[in-house]
mmCIF file of all heavy atoms in Angstrom:
data_model
loop_
_atom_site.group_PDB
_atom_site.id
_atom_site.type_symbol
_atom_site.label_atom_id
_atom_site.label_comp_id
_atom_site.label_asym_id
_atom_site.label_seq_id
_atom_site.Cartn_x
_atom_site.Cartn_y
_atom_site.Cartn_z
ATOM 1 N N ILE A 440 109.319 83.154 118.539
ATOM 2 C CA ILE A 440 108.778 83.353 119.878
ATOM 3 C C ILE A 440 109.678 84.352 120.602
ATOM 4 O O ILE A 440 110.875 84.105 120.783
ATOM 5 C CB ILE A 440 108.702 82.032 120.669
ATOM 6 C CG1 ILE A 440 107.791 81.028 119.955
ATOM 7 C CG2 ILE A 440 108.190 82.297 122.087
ATOM 8 C CD1 ILE A 440 107.758 79.657 120.606
ATOM 9 N N ASN A 441 109.112 85.463 120.993
ATOM 10 C CA ASN A 441 109.863 86.513 121.661
ATOM 11 C C ASN A 441 110.358 86.015 123.022
ATOM 12 O O ASN A 441 109.560 85.561 123.849
ATOM 13 C CB ASN A 441 108.970 87.754 121.842
ATOM 14 C CG ASN A 441 109.735 88.987 122.261
ATOM 15 O OD1 ASN A 441 110.518 88.961 123.190
ATOM 16 N ND2 ASN A 441 109.480 90.088 121.561
ATOM 17 N N THR A 442 111.666 86.091 123.241
ATOM 18 C CA THR A 442 112.247 85.564 124.474
ATOM 19 C C THR A 442 111.916 86.424 125.687
ATOM 20 O O THR A 442 112.103 85.979 126.832
ATOM 21 C CB THR A 442 113.784 85.468 124.343
ATOM 22 O OG1 THR A 442 114.314 86.765 124.004
ATOM 23 C CG2 THR A 442 114.173 84.469 123.261
ATOM 24 N N ILE A 443 111.419 87.629 125.460
ATOM 25 C CA ILE A 443 111.073 88.524 126.571
ATOM 26 C C ILE A 443 109.581 88.465 126.885
ATOM 27 O O ILE A 443 109.184 88.262 128.036
ATOM 28 C CB ILE A 443 111.494 89.972 126.250
ATOM 29 C CG1 ILE A 443 113.004 90.043 126.011
ATOM 30 C CG2 ILE A 443 111.078 90.922 127.377
ATOM 31 C CD1 ILE A 443 113.497 91.388 125.514
ATOM 32 N N THR A 444 108.747 88.623 125.871
ATOM 33 C CA THR A 444 107.297 88.646 126.088
ATOM 34 C C THR A 444 106.668 87.261 126.013
ATOM 35 O O THR A 444 105.522 87.089 126.438
ATOM 36 C CB THR A 444 106.611 89.533 125.045
ATOM 37 O OG1 THR A 444 106.735 88.923 123.744
ATOM 38 C CG2 THR A 444 107.243 90.928 125.008
ATOM 39 N N LYS A 445 107.395 86.299 125.432
ATOM 40 C CA LYS A 445 106.916 84.931 125.217
ATOM 41 C C LYS A 445 105.798 84.855 124.178
ATOM 42 O O LYS A 445 105.140 83.815 124.051
ATOM 43 C CB LYS A 445 106.445 84.282 126.536
ATOM 44 C CG LYS A 445 107.440 84.398 127.683
ATOM 45 C CD LYS A 445 108.818 83.865 127.328
ATOM 46 C CE LYS A 445 109.805 84.038 128.481
ATOM 47 N NZ LYS A 445 111.179 83.625 128.101
ATOM 48 N N ARG A 446 105.607 85.891 123.430
ATOM 49 C CA ARG A 446 104.605 85.903 122.370
ATOM 50 C C ARG A 446 105.238 85.529 121.039
ATOM 51 O O ARG A 446 106.358 85.922 120.750
ATOM 52 C CB ARG A 446 103.962 87.284 122.221
ATOM 53 C CG ARG A 446 103.056 87.710 123.362
ATOM 54 C CD ARG A 446 102.404 89.064 123.034
ATOM 55 N NE ARG A 446 101.474 89.474 124.071
ATOM 56 C CZ ARG A 446 101.805 90.203 125.126
ATOM 57 N NH1 ARG A 446 103.056 90.620 125.259
ATOM 58 N NH2 ARG A 446 100.903 90.544 126.031
ATOM 59 N N VAL A 447 104.495 84.800 120.229
ATOM 60 C CA VAL A 447 104.896 84.573 118.849
ATOM 61 C C VAL A 447 104.675 85.873 118.085
ATOM 62 O O VAL A 447 103.652 86.536 118.257
ATOM 63 C CB VAL A 447 104.075 83.441 118.210
ATOM 64 C CG1 VAL A 447 104.522 83.191 116.774
ATOM 65 C CG2 VAL A 447 104.216 82.162 119.035
ATOM 66 N N TYR A 448 105.630 86.242 117.255
ATOM 67 C CA TYR A 448 105.515 87.513 116.539
ATOM 68 C C TYR A 448 104.176 87.635 115.813
ATOM 69 O O TYR A 448 103.536 88.691 115.831
ATOM 70 C CB TYR A 448 106.643 87.661 115.523
ATOM 71 C CG TYR A 448 108.005 88.028 116.077
ATOM 72 C CD1 TYR A 448 108.304 87.953 117.443
ATOM 73 C CD2 TYR A 448 109.023 88.448 115.225
ATOM 74 C CE1 TYR A 448 109.556 88.294 117.929
ATOM 75 C CE2 TYR A 448 110.286 88.798 115.698
ATOM 76 C CZ TYR A 448 110.549 88.710 117.050
ATOM 77 O OH TYR A 448 111.790 89.052 117.522
ATOM 78 N N LYS A 449 103.742 86.572 115.158
ATOM 79 C CA LYS A 449 102.522 86.659 114.363
ATOM 80 C C LYS A 449 101.268 86.810 115.217
ATOM 81 O O LYS A 449 100.186 87.097 114.695
ATOM 82 C CB LYS A 449 102.388 85.455 113.434
ATOM 83 C CG LYS A 449 102.136 84.127 114.105
ATOM 84 C CD LYS A 449 102.129 83.006 113.080
ATOM 85 C CE LYS A 449 101.848 81.646 113.712
ATOM 86 N NZ LYS A 449 100.463 81.533 114.186
ATOM 87 N N ASP A 450 101.415 86.644 116.531
ATOM 88 C CA ASP A 450 100.290 86.810 117.448
ATOM 89 C C ASP A 450 100.412 88.076 118.289
ATOM 90 O O ASP A 450 99.596 88.296 119.193
ATOM 91 C CB ASP A 450 100.187 85.594 118.389
ATOM 92 C CG ASP A 450 99.907 84.305 117.642
ATOM 93 O OD1 ASP A 450 99.208 84.367 116.611
ATOM 94 O OD2 ASP A 450 100.378 83.243 118.089
ATOM 95 N N ASP A 451 101.402 88.903 118.017
ATOM 96 C CA ASP A 451 101.688 90.064 118.857
ATOM 97 C C ASP A 451 101.076 91.328 118.247
ATOM 98 O O ASP A 451 101.464 91.763 117.167
ATOM 99 C CB ASP A 451 103.198 90.240 119.013
ATOM 100 C CG ASP A 451 103.565 91.211 120.125
ATOM 101 O OD1 ASP A 451 102.726 92.061 120.480
ATOM 102 O OD2 ASP A 451 104.703 91.117 120.626
ATOM 103 N N SER A 452 100.135 91.920 118.957
ATOM 104 C CA SER A 452 99.457 93.118 118.446
ATOM 105 C C SER A 452 100.338 94.356 118.481
ATOM 106 O O SER A 452 99.956 95.406 117.942
ATOM 107 C CB SER A 452 98.177 93.379 119.252
ATOM 108 O OG SER A 452 98.480 93.583 120.627
ATOM 109 N N THR A 453 101.527 94.265 119.098
ATOM 110 C CA THR A 453 102.469 95.388 119.035
ATOM 111 C C THR A 453 102.863 95.664 117.595
ATOM 112 O O THR A 453 103.170 96.797 117.231
ATOM 113 C CB THR A 453 103.735 95.079 119.854
ATOM 114 O OG1 THR A 453 103.365 94.580 121.133
ATOM 115 C CG2 THR A 453 104.605 96.305 120.018
ATOM 116 N N ILE A 454 102.880 94.626 116.782
ATOM 117 C CA ILE A 454 103.215 94.760 115.363
ATOM 118 C C ILE A 454 101.969 95.215 114.612
ATOM 119 O O ILE A 454 100.952 94.528 114.613
ATOM 120 C CB ILE A 454 103.748 93.435 114.799
ATOM 121 C CG1 ILE A 454 105.022 93.015 115.546
ATOM 122 C CG2 ILE A 454 104.014 93.547 113.299
ATOM 123 C CD1 ILE A 454 105.459 91.588 115.282
ATOM 124 N N MET A 455 102.049 96.371 113.992
ATOM 125 C CA MET A 455 100.929 96.883 113.196
ATOM 126 C C MET A 455 100.871 96.201 111.841
ATOM 127 O O MET A 455 99.794 95.867 111.343
ATOM 128 C CB MET A 455 101.079 98.393 113.010
ATOM 129 C CG MET A 455 100.092 99.018 112.036
ATOM 130 S SD MET A 455 100.371 100.810 111.871
ATOM 131 C CE MET A 455 99.358 101.169 110.434
#
Side-chain angles (χ1 to χ4, degrees):
I440 300 175
N441 192 310
T442 56
I443 300 173
T444 67
K445 310 306 178 185
R446 290 184 177 90
V447 181
Y448 283 14
K449 68 184 181 70
D450 297 327
D451 194 337
S452 60
T453 312
I454 299 167
M455 172 181 168

